[in-house]
Amino acid sequence: MASNSKYQDKQVDTILNEMIVVLEKHQAPVDLSLMVLGNMVTNLLISSVGKNQQIALAQAFSDALMNSVKTAK
C-alpha cells in the first residue's frame, strides 16, 4: 500500500504471503477477508496506539488505501 516504507520489500512480501495463505486455508471469501483485515487494523490501532493518535492514523490508513485502489492497474 505505501510507496515509501522503512521496511524492506522482502519483509513486507513475506508477511503478506503468509496472511494470504491463512485466508486461502480458510477459503475466506472477499467480504470475510476484508472484515478480518479490518478487525486486525482496528485491534492494532486500539492496542498499540495512544487514543490521541488513533483517529489520525485510521484516517491516514484509509487515505492510503483509497489512493492505492485508485492508482492500481
Side-chain angles (χ1 to χ4, degrees), residues 42-69:
T42 300
N43 182 280
L44 284 169
L45 289 172
I46 291 172
S47 66
S48 303
V49 179
K51 273 203 174 286
N52 56 340
Q53 289 184 304
Q54 290 173 2
I55 298 296
L57 283 174
Q59 186 64 56
F61 180 85
S62 174
D63 292 345
L65 176 61
M66 289 298 295
N67 188 50
S68 67
V69 170

Side-chain angles (χ1 to χ4, degrees), residues 3-47:
S3 57
N4 295 322
S5 175
K6 64 182 178 181
Y7 300 103
Q8 296 179 6
D9 288 344
K10 183 177 179 181
Q11 183 182 21
V12 172
D13 289 342
T14 298
I15 294 170
L16 176 61
N17 288 331
E18 289 178 11
M19 293 176 71
I20 290 169
V21 166
V22 169
L23 294 171
E24 288 176 348
K25 173 185 171 189
H26 292 278
Q27 298 178 332
V30 172
D31 58 341
L32 176 58
S33 297
L34 290 172
M35 186 184 336
V36 168
L37 294 170
N39 287 349
M40 180 181 279
V41 170
T42 300
N43 182 280
L44 284 169
L45 289 172
I46 291 172
S47 66

